[in-house]
Amino acid sequence: MVQEIQEPHLPKDGGTIGKSPVTHWHWWLIVAVNIFILVVGQNAGVLLGRFYYDQGGNSTWMATLVQTAAFPILFIPLFILSYKESSTTTKTSMSTQPAVTTLTLIYVSLGVLLAGDNMMYSNGLLYLSASTYSLICASQLAFNAVFAFFINSQKFTALILNSVIILTLSSALIGANSDSSEPAGVSRGKYILGFFCTLGASAVYSLLLSLMQLTFQKVLKRETFSVVLEMQIYTSFVATCACIVGLFASGEWRSLKGEMDGFGKGRLSYVMTLVWTAVAWQVTSVGVVGLIFVVSSLFSNVISTVALALGPVAAVIFFHDKMDGVKVVAMLMAFWGFASYLYQQYLDDSKLKAAQNSVNEVPNESTLERQIV
């Protein structure tokens, strides 16, 4: 049965995730953990990326590279999970694994798409303030709803449509507002370029999420969290390789030493900024892919959207961005859009639990009738 909001891994009573019993509350706990690391990691990544540019960094290829370069740290939890799951792996599950060539093609395609998407995000953040950037990125939910409809058979409801329209209007409101809160030296033309780069990146990112969900459902077909980590590691590896090629092909690598020496907060701060930016984005990616695996790509994007809506508040606190009336309205609209989707999620969850209860009651009634007879 296809629900109005897909929850492909919402466990029934006695259901499993990763071959172990999972109760309803346990499922929500897993979702909550993924939400937490996504929100924290995403806002940290955006703020550190803006800090890199504010302190004198100007290499868009380096800013793109650090978004995926920390993937080796994921091998630690992958090894732990793989060891625990190996004891429950059956011959049947091994025989249903996709061919190596199929996986290679998928990971390379997604990795190259991820590298291009990160490059557009880096260019957008170069010309926009952290608050403006975050609010424009909220449009990714609208794009994802469309891609999920065509790729993942996601049905539209009135609440989802309301969420899409509100978030689209929120981004349009920001796009029409260029003010003094933008980074120093950014012209009207560069502002427009940053706006469309960020908007385009949001669209590609949404496409990427839908394709990942399709891969989980149609190709990988394994309900283990090691699959989530493998997806993130291999796509990040391809994206990192593509960024390294771009860094050297563009010649930006020649200016990195001078960039480090001229960094506003010093050489150590330069290195630590890049390192922690890389860690923040990798943590974010785990949360994103984890929510795709446990719930759906649309839900993952909704959480990313509400995290982005919190971005302007963090930007005001750390960078003293100007929070004018337009941004306040746009932020409130982003929360409104999120609330509409969240309420739809609540309605679907209630319907699912009611359906489960009715299914459980039928066998009990049949047993009682046999006993009476």
Side-chain angles (χ1 to χ4, degrees), residues 54-214:
D54 286 346
Q55 297 301 315
N58 54 21
S59 173
T60 52
W61 277 111
M62 177 58 72
T64 304
L65 176 62
V66 296
Q67 294 182 48
T68 55
F71 73 88
I73 65 176
L74 299 181
F75 279 109
I76 299 175
L78 177 63
F79 288 148
I80 297 174
L81 288 173
S82 298
Y83 176 77
K84 291 182 178 180
E85 293 166 0
S86 61
S87 59
T88 60
T89 301
T90 64
K91 294 182 179 179
T92 302
S93 64
M94 293 296 291
S95 63
T96 58
Q97 290 184 5
V100 175
T101 53
T102 301
L103 288 177
T104 301
L105 180 61
I106 290 174
Y107 290 142
V108 169
S109 300
L110 293 178
V112 172
L113 191 63
L114 177 62
D117 182 52
N118 289 342
M119 170 54 77
M120 285 192 289
Y121 274 130
S122 296
N123 279 282
L125 192 56
L126 175 63
Y127 299 126
L128 301 174
S129 66
S131 57
T132 301
Y133 169 88
S134 296
L135 289 171
I136 295 174
C137 285
S139 65
Q140 66 194 33
L141 179 59
F143 288 115
N144 192 225
V146 175
F147 287 126
F149 176 79
F150 289 105
I151 297 176
N152 308 120
S153 300
Q154 182 80 54
K155 290 186 177 181
F156 273 104
T157 66
L159 288 171
I160 290 180
L161 185 60
N162 175 72
S163 178
V164 169
I165 292 174
I166 292 300
L167 289 168
T168 301
L169 292 176
S170 174
S171 296
L173 188 63
I174 288 296
N177 179 56
S178 176
D179 55 32
S180 59
S181 69
E182 301 310 319
V186 175
S187 64
R188 176 68 177 176
K190 289 182 178 179
Y191 173 86
I192 294 175
L193 176 61
F195 172 80
F196 281 108
C197 280
T198 306
L199 194 65
S202 299
V204 175
Y205 176 76
S206 299
L207 174 62
L208 189 63
L209 292 186
S210 292
L211 291 176
M212 283 184 173
Q213 181 179 341
L214 184 67

Side-chain angles (χ1 to χ4, degrees), residues 16-31:
T16 63
I17 289 181
K19 308 301 182 183
S20 59
V22 176
T23 60
H24 193 263
W25 72 266
H26 191 187
W27 182 86
W28 277 108
L29 177 62
I30 295 171
V31 171

Side-chain angles (χ1 to χ4, degrees), residues 30-45:
I30 295 171
V31 171
V33 171
N34 280 283
I35 289 175
F36 176 77
I37 63 177
L38 190 160
V39 171
V40 173
Q42 183 168 272
N43 279 292

Side-chain angles (χ1 to χ4, degrees), residues 103 111 148 171 174 206 226 270 281 283 330 344 363:
L103 288 177
S171 296
I174 288 296
S206 299
S226 63
Y270 176 84
W281 282 120
V283 168
Q344 180 66 67

